[in-house]
Amino acid sequence: MSGAAAVLEASDAIAQLDLPLTFITVVGATENMMDTNAYRVDDVVKAANGKTIEITNTDAEGRLVLADCLHHTRTLGATHIVDLATLTGGVVVALGDYHAGLMGTDQEWLDRVAAAGERAGEHTWQLPLHRTFKRMLRSDIADLANSSSLRLAIPSYGGQFLKEFAGEGAWAHLDIAGTADLTRSRGDYLGKGGTGYGVRLLIELAESLC
């Protein structure tokens, strides 16, 4: 829920600043608990945009919720999207606890998001999305699978999955798994626990658009 919390807090701050900006906030608020109606490995679910997804890993559940959130955001008329999620453990291995993984479409938009993060002290590092990653999404029974058994480019795999639902237009995905909740002090002003990563970045981004 770290991404959702950051988006909510940033939205409140942007509203209080009374910036001349129209923005939409979408939060995928759902219980992450076992239930008799819970999905299972080998299930096939249909996303809001009509694509079918084979469940190969029940622990990769957040991206299913986020996929529908991205599609819903486009249906509400958003032209530029930023999503924040503690999506993969792989980004922690790759980048540690100082940089969030940045991926998406439209390099100008990605550069603007990264620059806002630098000014706000919430740093990002761009990771690749490429059509060759689509081979990791393949499923024999659905349009794509929610997880890959290849164990390759895990953060980029998550981003490539989300791209299938991000629609037309600029989109930036921030994988904040390493920066949102610290297991120990980072040696700077941030101690152990939740950091609120993304709040300042989003506010700075909003101000830069005005």
Side-chain angles (χ1 to χ4, degrees):
M1 52 77 66
S2 297
V7 168
L8 286 171
E9 288 302 313
S11 299
D12 181 54
I14 293 167
Q16 289 191 48
L17 289 169
D18 199 25
L19 299 177
L21 179 73
T22 299
F23 67 95
I24 298 166
T25 301
V26 175
V27 173
T30 182
E31 289 279 13
N32 186 3
M33 298 178 68
M34 293 300 294
D35 184 82
T36 55
N37 295 317
Y39 70 170
R40 300 167 178 83
V41 172
D42 296 332
D43 280 355
V44 174
V45 300
K46 181 179 285 189
N49 69 347
K51 292 188 177 183
T52 55
I53 306 166
E54 178 188 1
I55 305 303
T56 57
N57 182 352
T58 55
D59 193 40
E61 81 292 349
R63 66 193 60 180
L64 301 176
V65 178
L66 187 52
D68 280 353
C69 287
L70 289 170
H71 175 70
H72 181 61
T73 304
R74 288 293 189 204
T75 66
L76 295 176
T79 60
H80 293 68
I81 296 177
V82 181
D83 78 69
L84 285 77
T86 53
L87 200 72
T88 69
V91 81
V92 186
V93 176
L95 298 180
D97 60 9
Y98 193 70
H99 294 85
L102 173 64
M103 291 157 269
T105 59
D106 191 303
Q107 191 59 48
E108 183 179 349
W109 181 238
L110 294 173
D111 290 344
R112 185 181 282 270
V113 172
E118 288 301 306
R119 292 192 300 272
E122 295 188 327
H123 307 285
T124 67
W125 194 267
Q126 188 170 343
L127 298 172
L129 292 185
H130 193 270
R131 62 181 180 275
T132 59
F133 291 140
K134 293 192 71 171
R135 61 192 163 89
M136 303 179 193
L137 304 176
R138 289 175 186 157
S139 166
D140 293 331
I141 59 174
D143 293 321
L144 63 161
N146 79 320
S147 182
S148 172
S149 62
L150 297 178
R151 306 297 294 171
L152 299 174
I154 293 173
S156 291
Y157 175 91
Q160 195 72 39
F161 179 91
L162 294 176
K163 185 181 177 184
E164 297 290 315
F165 306 90
E168 298 297 323
W171 159 67
H173 162 60
L174 286 167
D175 190 337
I176 63 172
T179 56
D181 191 12
L182 304 180
T183 57
R184 64 185 67 82
S185 173
R186 209 167 62 179
D188 53 16
Y189 60 92
L190 290 175
K192 180 180 177 180
T195 66
Y197 182 97
V199 176
R200 291 180 298 169
L201 184 155
L202 291 175
I203 295 169
E204 183 67 33
L205 178 64
E207 289 180 327
S208 74
L209 295 171
C210 299

